[in-house]
Amino acid sequence: MKMPENKLQKSDNENVFKYLVDEFADLKIMRYRIPEWDTLSLRQKEYIHCLAEAAKFGRDIIYDQNFKYNLVVRKTIEAILNTYSGERKCADFESFVIYAKRVFFSNGIHHHYGEGKFVPEISQDYFVELLENSDISHVIGDKTAEEFSEFLIPIIFDKGIYSMRRSSGQGTDNVKASAVNFYENVSQAEAEAYYARFYAADDDKPLSHGLNSRLVKKDGQVSEEVFRMEGLYGKAIEKIVSWLEKANAVAENDTQRHYTDLLIKYYRTGDLRVWDEYNVAWVGDSQSVVDFVNGFIETYTDPLGIKATWEAVVDFRDMEATRRTNIISENAQWFEDNSPVDGRFKKREVKGVTAKGIIVASLGGDCFPTPPIGINLPNADWIRKEYGSKSVTITNLIDAYNKAAEESPKSALKEFAYSQEEIDLCKKYGNLTDVIHTDLHECLGHGSGQLLPTTSPNALREYASALEEARADLFGLYYIADKKLVELGILPDETAYKAEYSSFVRNGLMTQLARVELGDKVTESHMQDRKLIAEWCLEKGAADNVIERKCENGKTYFVVNDYVKLRNLFGRLLAEIQRIKSEGDYEAGKRLIETYAVNIDQDLHKEVKERYNSLNIKPYGGFINPEIVPVERDGAIVDYRVEYPDDFLLQHLHYGKKYSTL
Ligand code: ZN
């Protein structure tokens, strides 16, 4: 096996690992660590290495799926970056580099989130100059150089053509209006008619028809080009399969080998029955330490929601997170028995849920460079109903987001926290207490308490979900300050919880308002939940000055003065919301939400928006993958080392050379 080029081996030999490595346009680039790597066996590392190679070999597929000319655009960009012989230290070339990075970030020429085409901030003449002074012979095919630039320039520069990757307009043919490469020469009506015939109301195990194909009309005939080894994307799929086969030779157990074999069979045949078989087998595996997602899975980019983009994630169980949630769940009954809630509303027997944290080791396809922070699969409803689903959070990515936010010179924490003391407290404990609050919320909060036998489960109607989130949050807030958590070895000391209290109050009363448009009310249930809790405690603790509103240099701050009394307030509100839920007291629930959770003080809202906007925080983040590098001694692989490259552009140029198949 070949080692990556020298430049890519640059890793964190400095003591401080930098998470935030680049910012441009509306994007920021981060790195993520792979903690616990050295707790894995050599075999597990080898397994992950093979799966990571399989993840990278699907890269060309996602470009082609997003838009039929993305690959030619990307290859042209790569050729220019690799071979351009003109001046590179000038504003024009730098603008071109930003365009290149945006294309790599979005896996194409359309914004990964907003869907619209973005164009380079250079002139067309300058682009022609770039082409003329670069070796693009392998990209232009049988076109002349002139024909090629005439073909390419409108694709890149004209916002009037292929303008939206996925169109979702009312009253338009969204299949025709979308640049996404799932349909060729068919209308929305034809596509809908094509798939409607597979639908049968009494089918309790419906196949995901159309999931893995492109729908094409040729000579008046509509038919599917299936993504499989002998079909569309065959060359990429062949590579993916060969790495899955290598992985399978070092799989952890037979279950894993079995479903990986099914996945390979599916890639060979394109048979959707095999895809379902694979998913059933995959979702049943909760034993293996290493896991992966690899396939045509999510349908968000298809205007009809039928066809899936290719994606890959390679991960393994987060042992530390699992240890923590296991301890919490094992003690679930103690937490239930000791909560400040009325005894009639407590469960006699409560079972904690184990939240599952995973660590990703590599991302590919539609998950790279912008991954989700949680995974909940498979998607087929009937499989979820009969066999359940795997639901996990990706702890090392969440950690990277938090650390990167702290690294930027202007952070929301620095702007909205009142004192250096508060900033230091949150920096020291904030990431940990945030995760533990979430664990308590998910593992215990939602599952705690019971309804009175006479109460209807739907009694709280439109206020139910905000009240339910508040109940789970309060359960976590109340217990994060309990010395039991220190005794159980979950929190390091009895000060740590204060970080969560001060962040929660700051967010509930101010920071989260940055996400609401001026003049609007708070409508999202998690946001209502946080506002309700913070506003209620501000008011009820006013006489004791528990939370103090301060104003300095025209800026508002909310400072927690008394953490013990704040905990008592959380307990009181928890007891009240549990009563409301248990008794189904709709009127009281409505009063709480309408009084504390919905309306925003206009002056404060305006101030928060202005202060937040002045931070210039990039709204979208993406990642550089770590490299998993074999370590050889005397011709044998003795270990796999993780390296953390820090150059986004170089990683993509390297991928372009090594993993291009189509
Ligand atoms: Zn929740």
Side-chain angles (χ1 to χ4, degrees):
M1 266 166 257
K2 199 170 146 271
M3 306 276 271
E5 293 142 76
N6 254 339
K7 277 176 190 160
L8 287 151
Q9 288 187 24
K10 225 200 281 172
S11 72
D12 60 324
N13 26 26
E14 313 102 279
N15 288 328
V16 182
F17 184 89
K18 241 182 114 25
Y19 287 85
L20 180 65
V21 291
D22 200 358
E23 293 184 272
F24 48 89
D26 54 353
L27 312 171
K28 64 178 168 203
I29 303 295
M30 295 166 283
R31 303 193 291 175
Y32 61 94
R33 299 200 86 138
I34 311 181
E36 302 184 15
W37 176 254
D38 282 320
T39 66
L40 299 171
S41 68
L42 176 60
R43 189 182 167 103
Q44 286 169 325
K45 289 177 180 176
E46 184 176 355
Y47 186 49
I48 290 174
H49 170 75
C50 296
L51 294 170
E53 292 299 295
K56 287 179 250 186
F57 270 111
R59 181 168 179 259
D60 281 4
I61 298 176
I62 187 64
Y63 277 83
D64 193 72
Q65 287 188 306
N66 280 339
F67 173 49
K68 62 181 170 184
Y69 298 130
N70 272 340
L71 278 174
V72 66
V73 172
R74 195 196 79 200
K75 286 175 184 179
T76 306
I77 289 172
E78 287 168 351
I80 294 170
L81 291 171
N82 286 327
T83 66
Y84 178 61
S85 58
E87 179 57 45
R88 291 179 179 229
K89 285 196 175 65
C90 60
D92 270 340
F93 195 79
E94 279 162 20
S95 292
F96 171 73
V97 168
I98 288 174
Y99 177 70
K101 291 199 281 194
R102 294 188 72 186
V103 171
F104 292 140
F105 190 96
S106 288
N107 292 312
I109 65 170
H110 300 91
H111 195 279
H112 76 289
Y113 187 83
E115 306 279 353
K117 185 199 273 192
F118 53 85
V119 301
E121 290 177 6
I122 53 173
S123 69
Q124 297 183 16
D125 289 345
Y126 181 69
F127 185 70
V128 173
E129 191 192 312
L130 290 174
L131 291 177
E132 282 171 356
N133 294 289
S134 304
D135 177 9
I136 52 165
S137 51
H138 59 294
V139 189
I140 66 175
D142 43 21
K143 291 190 177 68
T144 66
E146 212 163 85
E147 285 166 355
F148 183 70
S149 58
E150 267 171 37
F151 154 76
L152 199 62
I153 281 172
I155 291 170
I156 291 179
F157 287 89
D158 186 351
K159 276 191 156 182
I161 56 167
Y162 310 118
S163 40
M164 294 298 283
R165 185 176 65 175
R166 177 180 56 87
S167 157
S168 52
Q170 296 282 314
T172 38
D173 183 325
N174 283 319
V175 166
K176 294 258 184 216
S178 298
V180 72
N181 191 20
F182 290 136
Y183 304 92
E184 182 73 36
N185 207 19
V186 285
S187 67
Q188 182 168 345
E190 284 168 322
E192 282 168 347
Y194 186 88
Y195 289 107
R197 66 201 172 100
F198 295 110
Y199 176 76
D202 60 344
D203 190 350
D204 58 354
K205 290 177 183 175
L207 293 178
S208 309
H209 288 288
L211 188 76
N212 63 338
S213 68
R214 185 167 174 265
L215 195 67
V216 186
K217 186 157 95 178
K218 259 187 220 145
D219 309 321
Q221 284 287 79
V222 180
S223 65
E224 286 187 323
E225 292 174 345
V226 178
F227 311 149
R228 62 168 176 234
M229 204 124 117
E230 302 285 309
L232 197 52
Y233 306 139
K235 281 189 178 147
I237 290 171
E238 209 179 295
K239 285 285 189 186
I240 294 167
V241 164
S242 89
W243 279 101
L244 288 177
E245 281 168 342
K246 289 189 185 104
N248 237 359
V250 287
E252 286 181 69
N253 51 51
D254 288 343
T255 313
Q256 209 164 43
R257 237 184 312 276
H258 170 63
Y259 62 71
T260 308
D261 277 338
L262 286 170
L263 181 62
I264 290 168
K265 186 175 167 195
Y266 162 69
Y267 273 136
R268 288 186 193 281
T269 59
D271 185 341
L272 289 165
R273 281 168 302 190
V274 181
W275 173 241
D276 281 352
E277 248 182 278
Y278 156 74
N279 276 299
V280 168
W282 175 77
V283 82
D285 176 20
S286 55
Q287 294 308 309
S288 307
V289 172
V290 181
D291 198 4
F292 67 94
V293 171
N294 186 307
F296 300 94
I297 295 169
E298 300 293 353
T299 57
Y300 307 120
T301 315
D302 177 4
L304 302 184
I306 294 169
K307 307 200 166 290
T309 49
W310 188 87
E311 66 173 56
V313 175
V314 185
D315 62 82
F316 58 96
R317 193 182 305 149
D318 183 336
M319 294 299 182
E320 173 54 24
T322 309
R323 181 192 72 87
R324 229 172 30 224
T325 56
N326 281 345
I327 296 175
I328 291 173
S329 291
E330 282 160 15
N331 289 277
Q333 194 65 48
W334 185 89
F335 288 103
E336 184 76 359
D337 294 345
N338 290 279
S339 90
V341 159
D342 187 302
R344 290 177 301 145
F345 310 142
K346 286 182 185 177
K347 272 199 182 115
R348 294 288 108 75
E349 257 180 75
V350 61
K351 272 188 78 179
V353 187
T354 313
K356 294 201 176 62
I358 58 166
I359 293 167
V360 300
S362 198
L363 303 162
D366 214 4
C367 291
F368 177 74
T370 55
I373 53 170
I375 297 173
N376 190 335
L377 289 173
N379 282 333
D381 283 328
W382 73 267
I383 300 180
R384 296 173 74 89
K385 249 184 239 148
E386 265 181 57
Y387 300 93
S389 60
K390 278 192 202 175
S391 178
V392 292
T393 52
I394 306 178
T395 55
N396 60 332
L397 294 185
I398 295 171
D399 189 54
Y401 272 112
N402 291 336
K403 300 265 173 60
E406 277 171 18
E407 274 175 10
S408 77
K410 291 172 166 185
S411 73
L413 174 63
K414 283 174 206 149
E415 176 61 37
F416 291 97
Y418 177 66
S419 61
Q420 191 58 41
E421 191 191 343
E422 190 180 331
I423 294 170
D424 293 342
L425 176 76
C426 291
K427 277 198 160 176
K428 183 169 179 196
Y429 296 112
N431 291 335
L432 176 67
T433 53
D434 187 32
V435 171
I436 288 164
H437 182 235
T438 307
D439 287 345
L440 293 167
H441 174 121
E442 301 293 348
C443 305
L444 301 176
H446 282 304
S448 74
Q450 65 176 4
L451 302 185
L452 292 181
T454 47
T455 301
S456 143
N458 303 321
L460 302 177
R461 305 208 295 270
E462 71 270 35
Y463 300 107
S465 68
L467 290 166
E468 176 57 18
E469 291 309 327
R471 198 177 67 88
D473 260 351
L474 286 162
F475 200 95
L477 288 167
Y478 181 78
Y479 275 119
I480 201 166
D482 202 297
K483 56 180 187 306
K484 181 86 175 172
L485 291 194
V486 182
E487 281 166 24
L488 291 172
I490 290 170
L491 281 181
D493 57 54
E494 289 180 31
T495 310
Y497 79 92
K498 293 180 179 174
E500 181 61 19
Y501 277 23
S502 90
S503 315
F504 192 93
V505 165
R506 202 186 320 117
N507 187 38
L509 294 172
M510 287 199 296
T511 336
Q512 68 166 354
L513 301 179
R515 283 154 52 195
V516 180
E517 292 300 316
L518 280 179
D520 285 1
K521 293 171 191 279
V522 178
T523 53
E524 198 277 324
S525 57
H526 294 82
M527 290 179 75
Q528 286 186 338
D529 128 41
R530 295 181 207 119
K531 187 162 184 300
L532 161 64
I533 294 171
E535 296 274 5
W536 189 91
C537 293
L538 177 67
E539 187 191 291
K540 302 296 174 194
D544 293 331
N545 208 16
V546 175
I547 300 169
E548 187 179 352
R549 180 174 179 150
K550 296 196 185 206
C551 192
E552 226 157 82
N553 304 322
K555 290 180 176 181
T556 308
Y557 300 91
F558 291 92
V559 187
V560 179
N561 286 327
D562 191 329
Y563 289 93
V564 176
K565 284 193 173 138
L566 182 56
R567 186 187 183 210
N568 291 336
L569 289 170
F570 288 148
R572 258 174 67 195
L573 186 57
L574 171 61
E576 172 60 4
I577 293 182
Q578 184 62 57
R579 182 198 66 76
I580 289 171
K581 181 174 177 180
S582 294
E583 294 180 351
D585 187 346
Y586 175 82
E587 286 305 324
K590 176 181 174 174
R591 212 157 38 237
L592 275 184
I593 299 289
E594 296 293 346
T595 312
Y596 300 101
V598 177
N599 296 306
I600 309 173
D601 170 338
Q602 291 301 297
D603 292 332
L604 182 63
H605 195 186
K606 205 166 149 250
E607 182 197 322
V608 168
K609 295 283 270 190
E610 279 167 12
R611 284 165 70 185
Y612 196 85
N613 290 342
S614 77
L615 303 177
N616 258 322
I617 292 170
K618 304 289 185 190
Y620 308 106
F623 289 93
I624 295 177
N625 267 328
E627 299 283 343
I628 297 161
V629 186
V631 181
E632 284 180 52
R633 201 174 300 143
D634 305 326
I637 292 170
V638 293
D639 195 8
Y640 288 84
R641 189 175 63 226
V642 178
E643 297 185 342
Y644 298 100
D646 59 5
D647 191 316
F648 182 69
L649 202 64
L650 281 181
Q651 175 154 81
H652 282 271
L653 289 175
H654 168 63
Y655 282 6
K657 278 184 193 147
K658 191 169 171 193
Y659 301 103
S660 195
T661 50
L662 302 177

